[in-house]
Every structure is written in structure tokens, then in C-alpha cells.
Amino acid sequence: MTKKQRADLVQKELETLYPQTPIPLDHTDPYTLMVAVALSAQTTDKKVNQVTPHLFEVAGTPQRMARLEEFEIKELIKEIGLSNTKAKNLKRMAELLLERHDGIVPQTYEELEALPGVGHKTASVVMSQAFGFPAFPVDTHIHRLMTLWKLTSGKNVVETEKDAKAIFPEEVWNKLHLQIIFYGREYSPARGKGEKDFITKMMFEK
């Protein structure tokens, strides 16, 4: 198979498997989505979704988050990895949203990535899922599968994102990145042996 044929196969099979792509992180608006994505670094979405209902009940807006002390935020997210750093980031993120943006989540990469705890991946998720801008956020599932499917030779998520955007049509980016994540979790987990990974088998088995 050529690279284009492999990419077409991925699109076709994932659209059949996952015609609907609900966002895995529970949220109610762009701010709570950004907080949830920031909390998900090195933590499972399941764990984030267990913690955020109470967090958002107490501090579901930048105004309410900024009023909390770091130790109070940490207590609310203590079950999540890197809670010290994340508590500090959430407080400062809320303060800067109020200082710079009147408490409204901005809609540019530059402004988003200037906020504490918001890297390029988090900004891409917010831009795509909250605001509908074409984006292709790359996490470890996507990086691993794109490499496995020989759709990238990227050494990191930045290079893989560039390759993904080059090979897949822009109009499918927002949906496809979620479809690949869902597939990775269900059929090709990082610690698994890939027995269920039928897409890879279709590509490379003779």
C-alpha cells in the first residue's frame, strides 16, 4: 500500500467504527474544556472526569478559580498527577484570563499558549473542539499509531502533527484526531500486543 492508500484506509475504517466523536473530557464551555485538557497531562481522561465535577462546582469560572488559594485548588485535584504544578497553573491561568481577556478564553494559538499549563496540544484541542477551527492535536496514541501505520517518521508530536495535516484533508482533522484516539484505546493500547489492531494488519499482512 502507498502512504495515501494507508491514510484512506484509516479514514474509511475509523469513520465506520466511530461515526460520532464525543469529546472524552466532560466540560460545559471553553473554559472548563481548557481546564480539563490541562489536567489530563500524564493522567487518564477517566480520572479527570472523576475529579472535575466537584472542581467545576467550586471553581467553574476564571473568577471563582482565581479567588481560590493554590492549596485549595490542589486539594480539589489531589487525585490527579502533578497536582502541585497543575494547581499553580490553574490559579495563574485564571488570573491571566481576567487580566488579559476579561475572563473569556481567547481564540488564537498565541494567546492560548501564553497561559500557564496550556501547551500546543491543549491549545489545539480548545481551538478545534471549543471553537471549531481546523486543528489536529497529537497525543501519544496518535503519535504511536501514525508511526505504526507509517504515516509519519516524526520523532515527536510536533513533527507527527505536521505529517498528519499534510496527509489528511483539513475538513476531517477535528473528528479524525478523536477517532484515532478512540481506536488506540480500544484496539491498540500502548501496553497491549496489538492482537485487535486490525487496521495495521490490513495494511501490512500479506
Side-chain angles (χ1 to χ4, degrees), residues 26-76:
D26 296 336
H27 66 286
T28 55
D29 56 24
Y31 175 67
T32 52
L33 175 62
M34 182 167 65
V35 169
V37 179
L39 288 174
S40 71
Q42 299 184 41
T43 305
T44 65
D45 291 349
K46 180 179 179 181
K47 174 56 69 176
V48 173
N49 287 338
Q50 290 170 352
V51 167
T52 51
H54 184 50
L55 174 67
F56 294 153
E57 183 181 345
V58 175
T61 66
Q63 292 83 355
R64 291 161 69 189
M65 187 75 76
R67 285 198 291 266
L68 296 179
E69 298 296 334
E70 275 183 38
F71 75 87
E72 294 176 301
I73 300 173
K74 185 192 173 186
E75 182 63 23
L76 291 166

Side-chain angles (χ1 to χ4, degrees), residues 82-96:
L82 307 175
S83 58
N84 280 335
T85 299
K86 290 176 181 177
K88 180 179 180 180
N89 286 340
L90 289 184
K91 180 171 177 62
R92 189 61 184 141
M93 176 201 294
E95 291 171 343
L96 289 178

